[in-house]
Amino acid sequence: MKLLGRLPHKGELGWVTLIPEEAEDMWHLYNLIRVGDSVQSKTMRKVVSESNTGSTMAQRVILRLTIAIETIDYDPGESALHLKGKNLEENEQVKLGQYHTLDLEPGRKFKLTKDEWDLMDIERLQEALDPATQADVAAVVLHEGLAHVCLLTPAMTLVRAKIDMQVIKCCLIAARGFLNQQFLTHLINFADGQGKKFTGEQKGKFVLAHASSGFKHALKEVLEDTKVAARLAETKAQGEVKALKQFFDLMANDPDRAYYGYKHVLKANEENAIETLMLADSLFRSQDIATRKKYIKLVESARENNATVLIFSSMHVSGEQLALLTGCAAILRFGMPELDDEAMSDDEQK
């Protein structure tokens, strides 16, 4: 994502001009743009004109429109957001208050205005603007005399000439024949020679795969390998999967330390009892401003109490599982059996 201008300030009305560059940027925008925001962008509109002789002619013209968003449709297959709302700035082709649709896609500049930028908005925007923070997988593709060192996010390949002190969970080494194994052996032997012997855990982070060449485009075939894809999927949400497993284990063996539902979790937070707070990202896309704000307040308070806060993606199976538990759950530092006496709300019991 490319930023044109300054970042907005938390708690204030403000605008930001952005250019999405990758498919993953559209996922960030889906979580950033909400009903009630306004978006300005260029769009195409069919205009029919009539001549003096009575004949008509249709042509497509480029317009710059600003709409107050009422509906948001995300199409991950096309990497596009379809926004619909009323026009806020009248022009010759579109009247004030007339409904129109704006399509956002990679490469299309737009301006987003919010009446109030909250904590989750700022964090989501910063995350989108610094893709390297999401790169928990590294890859080395090489052939004799050539190598590319890359960082991978779910939708981007960032070429880096050198990786210095990167904290990664998995490292792909892809090459023709046995060159990948030869490179890994050389790497391990070199580390041994420097007195920095790899641990078993460090060695386990390396994944060997086949690639037809050492050029960047060869990563496409590597990532299409089902075994590689399965390994990366587990790596991407490793922290969330581990926390959710711990939560279910506690529900079975120590239920006084595992609670879900906003009311129960809020009570636990008030007692500074939360060790890990787990929230589904769908909660922050709520069209109800009050609902969104209460979960943002919960995040801020939990962090002040030194709790670990994990935001689960609804695009991952772990996020789907959490959504079945109201999308809000917590692992407690100590048991609170008295929470069982607190009734859930009607919405949470559905």
Side-chain angles (χ1 to χ4, degrees), residues 8-16 31-38 112-122 125 284 289-290 292-294 296-297 300:
H9 294 296
K10 174 187 168 185
E12 295 181 358
L13 180 149
W15 57 268
V16 63
N31 285 279
L32 183 64
I33 299 173
R34 300 191 302 282
V35 171
D37 296 343
S38 65
L112 170 63
T113 302
K114 291 177 175 288
D115 291 336
E116 180 184 349
W117 288 79
D118 59 36
L119 171 72
M120 301 308 295
D121 292 330
I122 299 297
L125 185 55
F284 303 104
I289 296 176
R292 178 182 171 85
K293 284 189 173 182
K294 76 177 185 180
I296 290 175
K297 186 177 180 180
E300 293 178 319

PDB file of all heavy atoms in Angstrom, residues 8-16 31-38 112-122 125 284 289-290 292-294 296-297 300:
ATOM      1  N   PRO A   8      -3.480   9.948   9.516  1.00  0.00           N
ATOM      2  CA  PRO A   8      -4.449  10.630  10.384  1.00  0.00           C
ATOM      3  C   PRO A   8      -4.131  10.352  11.850  1.00  0.00           C
ATOM      4  O   PRO A   8      -3.400   9.413  12.177  1.00  0.00           O
ATOM      5  CB  PRO A   8      -5.787  10.006   9.974  1.00  0.00           C
ATOM      6  CG  PRO A   8      -5.416   8.666   9.415  1.00  0.00           C
ATOM      7  CD  PRO A   8      -4.080   8.836   8.777  1.00  0.00           C
ATOM      8  N   HIS A   9      -4.688  11.155  12.731  1.00  0.00           N
ATOM      9  CA  HIS A   9      -4.454  11.001  14.161  1.00  0.00           C
ATOM     10  C   HIS A   9      -5.614  10.252  14.816  1.00  0.00           C
ATOM     11  O   HIS A   9      -6.778  10.423  14.444  1.00  0.00           O
ATOM     12  CB  HIS A   9      -4.298  12.365  14.838  1.00  0.00           C
ATOM     13  CG  HIS A   9      -3.071  13.114  14.390  1.00  0.00           C
ATOM     14  ND1 HIS A   9      -1.795  12.656  14.617  1.00  0.00           N
ATOM     15  CD2 HIS A   9      -2.932  14.287  13.709  1.00  0.00           C
ATOM     16  CE1 HIS A   9      -0.917  13.505  14.114  1.00  0.00           C
ATOM     17  NE2 HIS A   9      -1.579  14.504  13.552  1.00  0.00           N
ATOM     18  N   LYS A  10      -5.274   9.439  15.805  1.00  0.00           N
ATOM     19  CA  LYS A  10      -6.274   8.683  16.545  1.00  0.00           C
ATOM     20  C   LYS A  10      -7.274   9.619  17.221  1.00  0.00           C
ATOM     21  O   LYS A  10      -6.905  10.619  17.825  1.00  0.00           O
ATOM     22  CB  LYS A  10      -5.580   7.809  17.588  1.00  0.00           C
ATOM     23  CG  LYS A  10      -6.522   7.064  18.520  1.00  0.00           C
ATOM     24  CD  LYS A  10      -5.736   6.374  19.621  1.00  0.00           C
ATOM     25  CE  LYS A  10      -6.656   5.870  20.713  1.00  0.00           C
ATOM     26  NZ  LYS A  10      -5.912   5.298  21.846  1.00  0.00           N
ATOM     27  N   GLY A  11      -8.562   9.277  17.101  1.00  0.00           N
ATOM     28  CA  GLY A  11      -9.619  10.009  17.769  1.00  0.00           C
ATOM     29  C   GLY A  11     -10.053  11.276  17.067  1.00  0.00           C
ATOM     30  O   GLY A  11     -10.907  12.005  17.585  1.00  0.00           O
ATOM     31  N   GLU A  12      -9.490  11.535  15.877  1.00  0.00           N
ATOM     32  CA  GLU A  12      -9.827  12.769  15.175  1.00  0.00           C
ATOM     33  C   GLU A  12     -10.466  12.496  13.818  1.00  0.00           C
ATOM     34  O   GLU A  12     -10.293  11.427  13.236  1.00  0.00           O
ATOM     35  CB  GLU A  12      -8.567  13.616  14.957  1.00  0.00           C
ATOM     36  CG  GLU A  12      -7.921  14.119  16.225  1.00  0.00           C
ATOM     37  CD  GLU A  12      -6.696  14.968  15.943  1.00  0.00           C
ATOM     38  OE1 GLU A  12      -6.343  15.128  14.750  1.00  0.00           O
ATOM     39  OE2 GLU A  12      -6.108  15.454  16.908  1.00  0.00           O
ATOM     40  N   LEU A  13     -11.216  13.474  13.308  1.00  0.00           N
ATOM     41  CA  LEU A  13     -11.680  13.436  11.932  1.00  0.00           C
ATOM     42  C   LEU A  13     -10.459  13.625  11.040  1.00  0.00           C
ATOM     43  O   LEU A  13      -9.587  14.459  11.335  1.00  0.00           O
ATOM     44  CB  LEU A  13     -12.694  14.551  11.681  1.00  0.00           C
ATOM     45  CG  LEU A  13     -13.290  14.657  10.263  1.00  0.00           C
ATOM     46  CD1 LEU A  13     -14.711  15.191  10.331  1.00  0.00           C
ATOM     47  CD2 LEU A  13     -12.447  15.559   9.355  1.00  0.00           C
ATOM     48  N   GLY A  14     -10.374  12.864   9.969  1.00  0.00           N
ATOM     49  CA  GLY A  14      -9.214  13.006   9.096  1.00  0.00           C
ATOM     50  C   GLY A  14      -9.366  12.200   7.828  1.00  0.00           C
ATOM     51  O   GLY A  14     -10.268  11.367   7.690  1.00  0.00           O
ATOM     52  N   TRP A  15      -8.487  12.458   6.901  1.00  0.00           N
ATOM     53  CA  TRP A  15      -8.518  11.748   5.624  1.00  0.00           C
ATOM     54  C   TRP A  15      -7.114  11.270   5.274  1.00  0.00           C
ATOM     55  O   TRP A  15      -6.117  11.764   5.794  1.00  0.00           O
ATOM     56  CB  TRP A  15      -9.056  12.654   4.510  1.00  0.00           C
ATOM     57  CG  TRP A  15      -8.276  13.931   4.322  1.00  0.00           C
ATOM     58  CD1 TRP A  15      -8.517  15.136   4.916  1.00  0.00           C
ATOM     59  CD2 TRP A  15      -7.100  14.112   3.510  1.00  0.00           C
ATOM     60  NE1 TRP A  15      -7.577  16.064   4.525  1.00  0.00           N
ATOM     61  CE2 TRP A  15      -6.701  15.465   3.648  1.00  0.00           C
ATOM     62  CE3 TRP A  15      -6.368  13.282   2.682  1.00  0.00           C
ATOM     63  CZ2 TRP A  15      -5.591  15.990   3.001  1.00  0.00           C
ATOM     64  CZ3 TRP A  15      -5.257  13.795   2.020  1.00  0.00           C
ATOM     65  CH2 TRP A  15      -4.877  15.141   2.180  1.00  0.00           C
ATOM     66  N   VAL A  16      -7.072  10.297   4.373  1.00  0.00           N
ATOM     67  CA  VAL A  16      -5.805   9.753   3.902  1.00  0.00           C
ATOM     68  C   VAL A  16      -5.987   9.336   2.441  1.00  0.00           C
ATOM     69  O   VAL A  16      -7.042   8.838   2.056  1.00  0.00           O
ATOM     70  CB  VAL A  16      -5.355   8.557   4.769  1.00  0.00           C
ATOM     71  CG1 VAL A  16      -6.345   7.414   4.673  1.00  0.00           C
ATOM     72  CG2 VAL A  16      -3.967   8.085   4.389  1.00  0.00           C
ATOM     73  N   ASN A  31     -11.088  -4.321   5.782  1.00  0.00           N
ATOM     74  CA  ASN A  31     -11.144  -4.191   7.240  1.00  0.00           C
ATOM     75  C   ASN A  31     -11.043  -2.744   7.702  1.00  0.00           C
ATOM     76  O   ASN A  31     -11.309  -2.441   8.865  1.00  0.00           O
ATOM     77  CB  ASN A  31     -10.017  -5.008   7.882  1.00  0.00           C
ATOM     78  CG  ASN A  31     -10.278  -6.492   7.869  1.00  0.00           C
ATOM     79  OD1 ASN A  31     -10.997  -7.011   8.713  1.00  0.00           O
ATOM     80  ND2 ASN A  31      -9.728  -7.191   6.889  1.00  0.00           N
ATOM     81  N   LEU A  32     -10.632  -1.840   6.819  1.00  0.00           N
ATOM     82  CA  LEU A  32     -10.433  -0.437   7.178  1.00  0.00           C
ATOM     83  C   LEU A  32     -11.640   0.435   6.845  1.00  0.00           C
ATOM     84  O   LEU A  32     -12.018   1.321   7.611  1.00  0.00           O
ATOM     85  CB  LEU A  32      -9.194   0.098   6.462  1.00  0.00           C
ATOM     86  CG  LEU A  32      -8.774   1.537   6.763  1.00  0.00           C
ATOM     87  CD1 LEU A  32      -8.375   1.684   8.231  1.00  0.00           C
ATOM     88  CD2 LEU A  32      -7.606   1.942   5.863  1.00  0.00           C
ATOM     89  N   ILE A  33     -12.249   0.177   5.681  1.00  0.00           N
ATOM     90  CA  ILE A  33     -13.360   1.016   5.222  1.00  0.00           C
ATOM     91  C   ILE A  33     -14.670   0.479   5.785  1.00  0.00           C
ATOM     92  O   ILE A  33     -14.954  -0.717   5.696  1.00  0.00           O
ATOM     93  CB  ILE A  33     -13.421   1.031   3.685  1.00  0.00           C
ATOM     94  CG1 ILE A  33     -12.118   1.615   3.115  1.00  0.00           C
ATOM     95  CG2 ILE A  33     -14.608   1.852   3.191  1.00  0.00           C
ATOM     96  CD1 ILE A  33     -12.009   1.523   1.609  1.00  0.00           C
ATOM     97  N   ARG A  34     -15.485   1.397   6.342  1.00  0.00           N
ATOM     98  CA  ARG A  34     -16.741   0.980   6.953  1.00  0.00           C
ATOM     99  C   ARG A  34     -17.885   1.861   6.483  1.00  0.00           C
ATOM    100  O   ARG A  34     -17.682   2.963   5.942  1.00  0.00           O
ATOM    101  CB  ARG A  34     -16.646   1.042   8.482  1.00  0.00           C
ATOM    102  CG  ARG A  34     -15.582   0.162   9.076  1.00  0.00           C
ATOM    103  CD  ARG A  34     -15.735   0.070  10.590  1.00  0.00           C
ATOM    104  NE  ARG A  34     -15.684   1.365  11.227  1.00  0.00           N
ATOM    105  CZ  ARG A  34     -14.567   2.032  11.456  1.00  0.00           C
ATOM    106  NH1 ARG A  34     -13.415   1.544  11.064  1.00  0.00           N
ATOM    107  NH2 ARG A  34     -14.611   3.207  12.068  1.00  0.00           N
ATOM    108  N   VAL A  35     -19.102   1.365   6.712  1.00  0.00           N
ATOM    109  CA  VAL A  35     -20.299   2.151   6.422  1.00  0.00           C
ATOM    110  C   VAL A  35     -20.242   3.455   7.219  1.00  0.00           C
ATOM    111  O   VAL A  35     -19.920   3.459   8.409  1.00  0.00           O
ATOM    112  CB  VAL A  35     -21.573   1.363   6.782  1.00  0.00           C
ATOM    113  CG1 VAL A  35     -22.816   2.249   6.682  1.00  0.00           C
ATOM    114  CG2 VAL A  35     -21.721   0.152   5.864  1.00  0.00           C
ATOM    115  N   GLY A  36     -20.536   4.568   6.556  1.00  0.00           N
ATOM    116  CA  GLY A  36     -20.465   5.868   7.195  1.00  0.00           C
ATOM    117  C   GLY A  36     -19.233   6.662   6.805  1.00  0.00           C
ATOM    118  O   GLY A  36     -19.221   7.886   6.919  1.00  0.00           O
ATOM    119  N   ASP A  37     -18.177   5.963   6.337  1.00  0.00           N
ATOM    120  CA  ASP A  37     -17.003   6.657   5.820  1.00  0.00           C
ATOM    121  C   ASP A  37     -17.333   7.250   4.456  1.00  0.00           C
ATOM    122  O   ASP A  37     -18.324   6.880   3.820  1.00  0.00           O
ATOM    123  CB  ASP A  37     -15.824   5.689   5.668  1.00  0.00           C
ATOM    124  CG  ASP A  37     -15.354   5.118   6.990  1.00  0.00           C
ATOM    125  OD1 ASP A  37     -15.710   5.692   8.035  1.00  0.00           O
ATOM    126  OD2 ASP A  37     -14.643   4.105   6.972  1.00  0.00           O
ATOM    127  N   SER A  38     -16.504   8.148   3.973  1.00  0.00           N
ATOM    128  CA  SER A  38     -16.659   8.657   2.609  1.00  0.00           C
ATOM    129  C   SER A  38     -15.401   8.354   1.817  1.00  0.00           C
ATOM    130  O   SER A  38     -14.286   8.400   2.357  1.00  0.00           O
ATOM    131  CB  SER A  38     -16.938  10.165   2.607  1.00  0.00           C
ATOM    132  OG  SER A  38     -15.836  10.887   3.102  1.00  0.00           O
ATOM    133  N   LEU A 112      -9.818   8.408   1.496  1.00  0.00           N
ATOM    134  CA  LEU A 112     -10.722   7.878   2.521  1.00  0.00           C
ATOM    135  C   LEU A 112     -10.825   8.881   3.664  1.00  0.00           C
ATOM    136  O   LEU A 112      -9.814   9.309   4.216  1.00  0.00           O
ATOM    137  CB  LEU A 112     -10.199   6.540   3.049  1.00  0.00           C
ATOM    138  CG  LEU A 112     -10.894   5.952   4.286  1.00  0.00           C
ATOM    139  CD1 LEU A 112     -12.350   5.626   3.993  1.00  0.00           C
ATOM    140  CD2 LEU A 112     -10.147   4.719   4.781  1.00  0.00           C
ATOM    141  N   THR A 113     -12.062   9.246   4.025  1.00  0.00           N
ATOM    142  CA  THR A 113     -12.301  10.179   5.126  1.00  0.00           C
ATOM    143  C   THR A 113     -13.153   9.508   6.189  1.00  0.00           C
ATOM    144  O   THR A 113     -14.159   8.858   5.877  1.00  0.00           O
ATOM    145  CB  THR A 113     -13.014  11.453   4.621  1.00  0.00           C
ATOM    146  OG1 THR A 113     -12.230  12.072   3.611  1.00  0.00           O
ATOM    147  CG2 THR A 113     -13.225  12.439   5.773  1.00  0.00           C
ATOM    148  N   LYS A 114     -12.745   9.655   7.447  1.00  0.00           N
ATOM    149  CA  LYS A 114     -13.488   9.118   8.577  1.00  0.00           C
ATOM    150  C   LYS A 114     -13.789  10.241   9.563  1.00  0.00           C
ATOM    151  O   LYS A 114     -12.945  11.117   9.788  1.00  0.00           O
ATOM    152  CB  LYS A 114     -12.694   8.021   9.298  1.00  0.00           C
ATOM    153  CG  LYS A 114     -12.519   6.729   8.519  1.00  0.00           C
ATOM    154  CD  LYS A 114     -11.663   5.759   9.313  1.00  0.00           C
ATOM    155  CE  LYS A 114     -11.568   4.398   8.617  1.00  0.00           C
ATOM    156  NZ  LYS A 114     -12.844   3.669   8.713  1.00  0.00           N
ATOM    157  N   ASP A 115     -14.954  10.170  10.174  1.00  0.00           N
ATOM    158  CA  ASP A 115     -15.279  11.145  11.218  1.00  0.00           C
ATOM    159  C   ASP A 115     -14.391  10.964  12.437  1.00  0.00           C
ATOM    160  O   ASP A 115     -14.112  11.915  13.167  1.00  0.00           O
ATOM    161  CB  ASP A 115     -16.752  11.016  11.633  1.00  0.00           C
ATOM    162  CG  ASP A 115     -17.695  11.477  10.537  1.00  0.00           C
ATOM    163  OD1 ASP A 115     -17.262  12.285   9.697  1.00  0.00           O
ATOM    164  OD2 ASP A 115     -18.856  11.027  10.519  1.00  0.00           O
ATOM    165  N   GLU A 116     -13.943   9.730  12.654  1.00  0.00           N
ATOM    166  CA  GLU A 116     -13.048   9.443  13.778  1.00  0.00           C
ATOM    167  C   GLU A 116     -12.195   8.236  13.458  1.00  0.00           C
ATOM    168  O   GLU A 116     -12.711   7.166  13.151  1.00  0.00           O
ATOM    169  CB  GLU A 116     -13.840   9.189  15.062  1.00  0.00           C
ATOM    170  CG  GLU A 116     -12.967   8.884  16.263  1.00  0.00           C
ATOM    171  CD  GLU A 116     -13.756   8.528  17.507  1.00  0.00           C
ATOM    172  OE1 GLU A 116     -14.993   8.726  17.493  1.00  0.00           O
ATOM    173  OE2 GLU A 116     -13.156   8.065  18.485  1.00  0.00           O
ATOM    174  N   TRP A 117     -10.886   8.404  13.503  1.00  0.00           N
ATOM    175  CA  TRP A 117      -9.943   7.299  13.303  1.00  0.00           C
ATOM    176  C   TRP A 117      -9.640   6.687  14.668  1.00  0.00           C
ATOM    177  O   TRP A 117      -9.084   7.355  15.535  1.00  0.00           O
ATOM    178  CB  TRP A 117      -8.655   7.802  12.657  1.00  0.00           C
ATOM    179  CG  TRP A 117      -8.823   8.174  11.222  1.00  0.00           C
ATOM    180  CD1 TRP A 117      -9.358   9.318  10.721  1.00  0.00           C
ATOM    181  CD2 TRP A 117      -8.463   7.376  10.097  1.00  0.00           C
ATOM    182  NE1 TRP A 117      -9.366   9.289   9.347  1.00  0.00           N
ATOM    183  CE2 TRP A 117      -8.809   8.105   8.931  1.00  0.00           C
ATOM    184  CE3 TRP A 117      -7.868   6.122   9.941  1.00  0.00           C
ATOM    185  CZ2 TRP A 117      -8.595   7.622   7.645  1.00  0.00           C
ATOM    186  CZ3 TRP A 117      -7.651   5.637   8.659  1.00  0.00           C
ATOM    187  CH2 TRP A 117      -8.011   6.375   7.530  1.00  0.00           C
ATOM    188  N   ASP A 118     -10.030   5.425  14.854  1.00  0.00           N
ATOM    189  CA  ASP A 118      -9.792   4.800  16.156  1.00  0.00           C
ATOM    190  C   ASP A 118      -8.542   3.934  16.130  1.00  0.00           C
ATOM    191  O   ASP A 118      -7.832   3.851  15.125  1.00  0.00           O
ATOM    192  CB  ASP A 118     -11.020   4.001  16.612  1.00  0.00           C
ATOM    193  CG  ASP A 118     -11.405   2.903  15.623  1.00  0.00           C
ATOM    194  OD1 ASP A 118     -10.500   2.293  15.027  1.00  0.00           O
ATOM    195  OD2 ASP A 118     -12.616   2.654  15.443  1.00  0.00           O
ATOM    196  N   LEU A 119      -8.267   3.289  17.253  1.00  0.00           N
ATOM    197  CA  LEU A 119      -7.046   2.497  17.413  1.00  0.00           C
ATOM    198  C   LEU A 119      -6.894   1.435  16.339  1.00  0.00           C
ATOM    199  O   LEU A 119      -5.829   1.293  15.729  1.00  0.00           O
ATOM    200  CB  LEU A 119      -7.042   1.833  18.797  1.00  0.00           C
ATOM    201  CG  LEU A 119      -5.930   0.790  19.035  1.00  0.00           C
ATOM    202  CD1 LEU A 119      -4.594   1.486  19.159  1.00  0.00           C
ATOM    203  CD2 LEU A 119      -6.222  -0.033  20.270  1.00  0.00           C
ATOM    204  N   MET A 120      -7.963   0.665  16.071  1.00  0.00           N
ATOM    205  CA  MET A 120      -7.868  -0.431  15.111  1.00  0.00           C
ATOM    206  C   MET A 120      -7.658   0.099  13.691  1.00  0.00           C
ATOM    207  O   MET A 120      -6.973  -0.532  12.886  1.00  0.00           O
ATOM    208  CB  MET A 120      -9.113  -1.310  15.183  1.00  0.00           C
ATOM    209  CG  MET A 120      -9.360  -1.919  16.557  1.00  0.00           C
ATOM    210  SD  MET A 120      -7.919  -2.782  17.252  1.00  0.00           S
ATOM    211  CE  MET A 120      -7.737  -4.127  16.093  1.00  0.00           C
ATOM    212  N   ASP A 121      -8.256   1.262  13.382  1.00  0.00           N
ATOM    213  CA  ASP A 121      -8.035   1.882  12.076  1.00  0.00           C
ATOM    214  C   ASP A 121      -6.559   2.207  11.883  1.00  0.00           C
ATOM    215  O   ASP A 121      -5.963   1.888  10.842  1.00  0.00           O
ATOM    216  CB  ASP A 121      -8.842   3.181  11.948  1.00  0.00           C
ATOM    217  CG  ASP A 121     -10.340   2.946  11.890  1.00  0.00           C
ATOM    218  OD1 ASP A 121     -10.746   1.887  11.398  1.00  0.00           O
ATOM    219  OD2 ASP A 121     -11.091   3.827  12.331  1.00  0.00           O
ATOM    220  N   ILE A 122      -5.963   2.865  12.869  1.00  0.00           N
ATOM    221  CA  ILE A 122      -4.564   3.280  12.774  1.00  0.00           C
ATOM    222  C   ILE A 122      -3.648   2.070  12.657  1.00  0.00           C
ATOM    223  O   ILE A 122      -2.731   2.032  11.827  1.00  0.00           O
ATOM    224  CB  ILE A 122      -4.159   4.135  13.996  1.00  0.00           C
ATOM    225  CG1 ILE A 122      -5.018   5.410  14.070  1.00  0.00           C
ATOM    226  CG2 ILE A 122      -2.682   4.483  13.933  1.00  0.00           C
ATOM    227  CD1 ILE A 122      -4.844   6.345  12.908  1.00  0.00           C
ATOM    228  N   LEU A 125      -3.991   0.427   9.209  1.00  0.00           N
ATOM    229  CA  LEU A 125      -3.343   1.231   8.184  1.00  0.00           C
ATOM    230  C   LEU A 125      -1.825   1.095   8.257  1.00  0.00           C
ATOM    231  O   LEU A 125      -1.152   0.933   7.228  1.00  0.00           O
ATOM    232  CB  LEU A 125      -3.758   2.696   8.341  1.00  0.00           C
ATOM    233  CG  LEU A 125      -3.256   3.682   7.280  1.00  0.00           C
ATOM    234  CD1 LEU A 125      -3.647   3.229   5.885  1.00  0.00           C
ATOM    235  CD2 LEU A 125      -3.795   5.078   7.561  1.00  0.00           C
ATOM    236  N   PHE A 284     -14.516  -5.946  14.159  1.00  0.00           N
ATOM    237  CA  PHE A 284     -14.112  -4.568  13.884  1.00  0.00           C
ATOM    238  C   PHE A 284     -14.625  -4.078  12.535  1.00  0.00           C
ATOM    239  O   PHE A 284     -14.349  -2.955  12.139  1.00  0.00           O
ATOM    240  CB  PHE A 284     -12.588  -4.457  13.958  1.00  0.00           C
ATOM    241  CG  PHE A 284     -12.033  -4.899  15.282  1.00  0.00           C
ATOM    242  CD1 PHE A 284     -11.406  -6.127  15.416  1.00  0.00           C
ATOM    243  CD2 PHE A 284     -12.190  -4.108  16.404  1.00  0.00           C
ATOM    244  CE1 PHE A 284     -10.926  -6.553  16.647  1.00  0.00           C
ATOM    245  CE2 PHE A 284     -11.707  -4.521  17.634  1.00  0.00           C
ATOM    246  CZ  PHE A 284     -11.072  -5.741  17.757  1.00  0.00           C
ATOM    247  N   ILE A 289     -21.482   1.263  15.233  1.00  0.00           N
ATOM    248  CA  ILE A 289     -20.330   1.974  15.779  1.00  0.00           C
ATOM    249  C   ILE A 289     -20.107   1.640  17.251  1.00  0.00           C
ATOM    250  O   ILE A 289     -18.974   1.463  17.708  1.00  0.00           O
ATOM    251  CB  ILE A 289     -20.497   3.489  15.594  1.00  0.00           C
ATOM    252  CG1 ILE A 289     -20.525   3.832  14.096  1.00  0.00           C
ATOM    253  CG2 ILE A 289     -19.371   4.255  16.289  1.00  0.00           C
ATOM    254  CD1 ILE A 289     -20.771   5.288  13.807  1.00  0.00           C
ATOM    255  N   ALA A 290     -21.199   1.525  18.007  1.00  0.00           N
ATOM    256  CA  ALA A 290     -21.081   1.235  19.438  1.00  0.00           C
ATOM    257  C   ALA A 290     -20.417  -0.125  19.667  1.00  0.00           C
ATOM    258  O   ALA A 290     -19.592  -0.287  20.572  1.00  0.00           O
ATOM    259  CB  ALA A 290     -22.451   1.287  20.097  1.00  0.00           C
ATOM    260  N   ARG A 292     -18.318  -1.733  17.610  1.00  0.00           N
ATOM    261  CA  ARG A 292     -16.900  -1.624  17.279  1.00  0.00           C
ATOM    262  C   ARG A 292     -16.123  -0.938  18.392  1.00  0.00           C
ATOM    263  O   ARG A 292     -15.054  -1.387  18.800  1.00  0.00           O
ATOM    264  CB  ARG A 292     -16.754  -0.845  15.970  1.00  0.00           C
ATOM    265  CG  ARG A 292     -15.315  -0.621  15.545  1.00  0.00           C
ATOM    266  CD  ARG A 292     -15.239   0.190  14.267  1.00  0.00           C
ATOM    267  NE  ARG A 292     -13.872   0.571  13.981  1.00  0.00           N
ATOM    268  CZ  ARG A 292     -12.979  -0.180  13.340  1.00  0.00           C
ATOM    269  NH1 ARG A 292     -13.343  -1.374  12.918  1.00  0.00           N
ATOM    270  NH2 ARG A 292     -11.759   0.233  13.120  1.00  0.00           N
ATOM    271  N   LYS A 293     -16.667   0.148  18.900  1.00  0.00           N
ATOM    272  CA  LYS A 293     -15.958   0.914  19.921  1.00  0.00           C
ATOM    273  C   LYS A 293     -15.765   0.127  21.213  1.00  0.00           C
ATOM    274  O   LYS A 293     -14.738   0.241  21.882  1.00  0.00           O
ATOM    275  CB  LYS A 293     -16.703   2.216  20.199  1.00  0.00           C
ATOM    276  CG  LYS A 293     -16.512   3.278  19.121  1.00  0.00           C
ATOM    277  CD  LYS A 293     -17.085   4.607  19.540  1.00  0.00           C
ATOM    278  CE  LYS A 293     -16.751   5.699  18.537  1.00  0.00           C
ATOM    279  NZ  LYS A 293     -17.258   7.025  18.951  1.00  0.00           N
ATOM    280  N   LYS A 294     -16.752  -0.704  21.580  1.00  0.00           N
ATOM    281  CA  LYS A 294     -16.606  -1.448  22.836  1.00  0.00           C
ATOM    282  C   LYS A 294     -15.501  -2.490  22.731  1.00  0.00           C
ATOM    283  O   LYS A 294     -14.795  -2.762  23.713  1.00  0.00           O
ATOM    284  CB  LYS A 294     -17.936  -2.074  23.257  1.00  0.00           C
ATOM    285  CG  LYS A 294     -18.361  -3.318  22.500  1.00  0.00           C
ATOM    286  CD  LYS A 294     -19.659  -3.874  23.064  1.00  0.00           C
ATOM    287  CE  LYS A 294     -20.058  -5.205  22.418  1.00  0.00           C
ATOM    288  NZ  LYS A 294     -21.318  -5.738  22.955  1.00  0.00           N
ATOM    289  N   ILE A 296     -12.837  -2.179  20.678  1.00  0.00           N
ATOM    290  CA  ILE A 296     -11.583  -1.426  20.649  1.00  0.00           C
ATOM    291  C   ILE A 296     -11.178  -1.036  22.072  1.00  0.00           C
ATOM    292  O   ILE A 296     -10.011  -1.140  22.454  1.00  0.00           O
ATOM    293  CB  ILE A 296     -11.724  -0.169  19.773  1.00  0.00           C
ATOM    294  CG1 ILE A 296     -11.846  -0.578  18.301  1.00  0.00           C
ATOM    295  CG2 ILE A 296     -10.534   0.773  19.967  1.00  0.00           C
ATOM    296  CD1 ILE A 296     -12.113   0.561  17.366  1.00  0.00           C
ATOM    297  N   LYS A 297     -12.147  -0.612  22.859  1.00  0.00           N
ATOM    298  CA  LYS A 297     -11.876  -0.266  24.256  1.00  0.00           C
ATOM    299  C   LYS A 297     -11.375  -1.476  25.024  1.00  0.00           C
ATOM    300  O   LYS A 297     -10.469  -1.369  25.867  1.00  0.00           O
ATOM    301  CB  LYS A 297     -13.144   0.290  24.906  1.00  0.00           C
ATOM    302  CG  LYS A 297     -12.940   0.812  26.312  1.00  0.00           C
ATOM    303  CD  LYS A 297     -14.219   1.421  26.874  1.00  0.00           C
ATOM    304  CE  LYS A 297     -14.014   1.954  28.288  1.00  0.00           C
ATOM    305  NZ  LYS A 297     -15.269   2.542  28.836  1.00  0.00           N
ATOM    306  N   GLU A 300      -7.684  -2.036  24.049  1.00  0.00           N
ATOM    307  CA  GLU A 300      -6.807  -1.058  24.707  1.00  0.00           C
ATOM    308  C   GLU A 300      -6.626  -1.373  26.189  1.00  0.00           C
ATOM    309  O   GLU A 300      -5.504  -1.324  26.720  1.00  0.00           O
ATOM    310  CB  GLU A 300      -7.379   0.347  24.533  1.00  0.00           C
ATOM    311  CG  GLU A 300      -7.358   0.844  23.099  1.00  0.00           C
ATOM    312  CD  GLU A 300      -7.980   2.210  22.940  1.00  0.00           C
ATOM    313  OE1 GLU A 300      -9.028   2.458  23.581  1.00  0.00           O
ATOM    314  OE2 GLU A 300      -7.442   3.024  22.184  1.00  0.00           O
TER     315      GLU A 300
END
